[in-house]
Structures are given as structure tokens and as C-alpha cells.
Amino acid sequence: KMIIRTMNQKDFFNVDWSKIPEPSLDVNLNHLNNFRITHIELNSTDNKIVNISRLKEISVIYVYPMSGVPGKALPEGWDEIPGARGCTPQSCSFRDNFSKLKELGVKNIFGLSTQNTEYQKELADRLHLPYTILSDEKLEFAKKLKLPLFKVEGMDLIKRITLILKNNEIIKYFYPIFPPTKNVEDVIRYLDKKNPQKFLSEGSNFV
């Protein structure tokens, strides 16, 4: 059987999603509903250590596999991996909707991936992100939450998933996500249905 390799699209920002395979619901993540995150500390792009178990109020964490770097080739066949492509456009969409998310009562916004902080800083600086990115370089976060992984060129990467937390408890997750640029709209739509004050005063047993 002949395997046909397609070239990765070179433009990080303008992706033709019709040529990218859509990810499927390949794992059951029901364990994340009302999951309480216990002590875990991750380095961030603002040189601080973030203890996710101590987050207060509403937080959004969008987890992505790996962002590209201008001038460096993405892994071979990257565009053929369902759900892999789109980390830069997704980050831009959260940046562009940062104020809207704040208006909806979001206290913390984080990106999260398995690259080290130095690698992530290049993205945060280049895209002028108004929030920080967390490094799960040792897969502590991924393993604690039993998040789906995939391996590319020897790298362990986390499949794209977005979490909404109330304090340290997951109250909503989005998986699979496609296209990545639409994810922030789903997050906004979900939050828009909730009164931020109710978020903080009521229990979190809602979907």
C-alpha cells in the first residue's frame, strides 16, 4: 500500500481547514467532569510558578500540542495528524477575545503545552499574548488528568483540549476541538449562558 505524504501548509495563520483531517471523539474523558486538580506546579512564560490547585474563581486553560516557529519546519506529516494543526491561530483567537473573556468573569487564561518555557516564550512574545503559557514538560498535568497524548518524532504531545475551571475544579471541557479557531467561540458561548456571580455562589454541577 502506497503512503502518500502531503506537504504541511506553511502559513501558521491562514490554514485551509478543509485540507486538515478532523479529530474524532477517540477517548472517553468523562472522568474530567467535576475533576478536582490537586497540587501541581508548572513554569509559566512570565517566569512565575503557577500552582493550578490554588487558582481562584473562573479559569480557562486551552491545552495544545505544539506551536510552530517561523523558519523551522513542522514535523513531517503534521497536517495529516487529526487535530494537530492550528496552535498559533488558536492562541491568536484567545488573544483577540481576551477582553470578552474577562467581561464574562474569567479571572485566569492560560495556554498549556509540553514544550519548555523558553520555546513557549518565543510564541508568547511573537504573538503579544496578554496571558501566560504553562509548560507541562514533564507531563505532570497530562498524567494527573489522564489527558490523551500522541507521539511525534520522539516528542510526547497532548491532544488539543480546553478546560474551564471553577477554582481548582473542572466544570466543562471541550474535546475534540476543530477547527481550533472556533474553540474560543464555544468557550464564550458557554460562559455567556452563565451569570458570573452564579458561577461563584452556586455549585458546579451543570453542563
Side-chain angles (χ1 to χ4, degrees):
K1 184 178 180 180
M2 182 183 294
I3 299 176
I4 299 174
R5 286 281 179 192
T6 58
M7 293 292 290
N8 291 328
Q9 297 180 46
K10 294 182 178 181
D11 191 328
F12 292 156
F13 297 95
N14 299 305
V15 180
D16 183 352
W17 299 113
S18 68
K19 296 180 179 178
I20 304 293
E22 186 170 349
S24 61
L25 184 59
D26 54 349
V27 292
N28 186 331
L29 296 175
N30 286 341
H31 67 277
L32 292 177
N33 289 319
N34 306 121
F35 185 98
R36 290 188 180 276
I37 302 173
T38 54
H39 182 88
I40 183 166
E41 295 182 335
L42 299 177
N43 290 325
S44 71
T45 49
D46 62 354
N47 300 315
K48 295 179 182 177
I49 294 175
V50 176
N51 187 335
I52 296 180
S53 69
R54 294 182 181 174
L55 294 178
K56 298 299 183 185
E57 302 179 38
I58 303 302
S59 302
V60 174
I61 303 176
Y62 72 93
V63 182
Y64 63 90
M66 183 183 74
S67 58
V69 177
K72 293 185 179 180
L74 288 163
E76 184 181 356
W78 185 250
D79 286 3
E80 300 168 40
I81 304 169
R85 186 62 190 261
C87 304
T88 296
Q90 185 183 24
S91 296
C92 288
S93 68
F94 273 92
R95 176 198 66 194
D96 296 344
N97 287 278
F98 181 79
S99 297
K100 176 67 173 176
L101 291 165
K102 287 291 187 179
E103 288 172 12
L104 289 170
V106 178
K107 183 175 178 64
N108 307 292
I109 300 171
F110 299 106
L112 184 149
S113 71
T114 59
Q115 290 80 59
N116 62 36
T117 300
E118 183 180 358
Y119 187 103
Q120 293 173 334
K121 280 184 177 180
E122 186 281 329
L123 176 77
D125 292 344
R126 174 165 48 89
L127 300 184
H128 306 289
L129 300 182
Y131 53 83
T132 58
I133 302 178
L134 305 177
S135 173
D136 191 28
E137 190 176 6
K138 298 177 181 177
L139 297 178
E140 296 169 274
F141 185 80
K143 289 178 178 176
K144 180 167 285 193
L145 274 64
K146 298 179 182 176
L147 299 179
L149 305 173
F150 66 105
K151 190 179 285 284
V152 176
E153 296 184 356
M155 299 179 290
D156 288 309
L157 306 176
I158 311 173
K159 293 187 178 183
R160 192 181 312 280
I161 182 171
T162 294
L163 311 170
I164 298 180
L165 279 60
K166 174 185 172 184
N167 299 324
N168 67 329
E169 181 180 353
I170 298 172
I171 57 175
K172 177 70 176 177
Y173 69 85
F174 297 90
Y175 181 90
I177 292 169
F178 189 82
T181 48
K182 298 292 186 184
N183 178 223
V184 72
E185 295 174 21
D186 293 333
V187 170
I188 288 172
R189 193 175 300 114
Y190 174 80
L191 293 171
D192 211 17
K193 291 179 180 177
K194 312 294 177 184
N195 182 312
Q197 296 307 314
K198 289 184 178 180
F199 260 135
L200 305 177
S201 61
E202 295 181 355
S204 57
N205 293 317
F206 49 73
V207 293

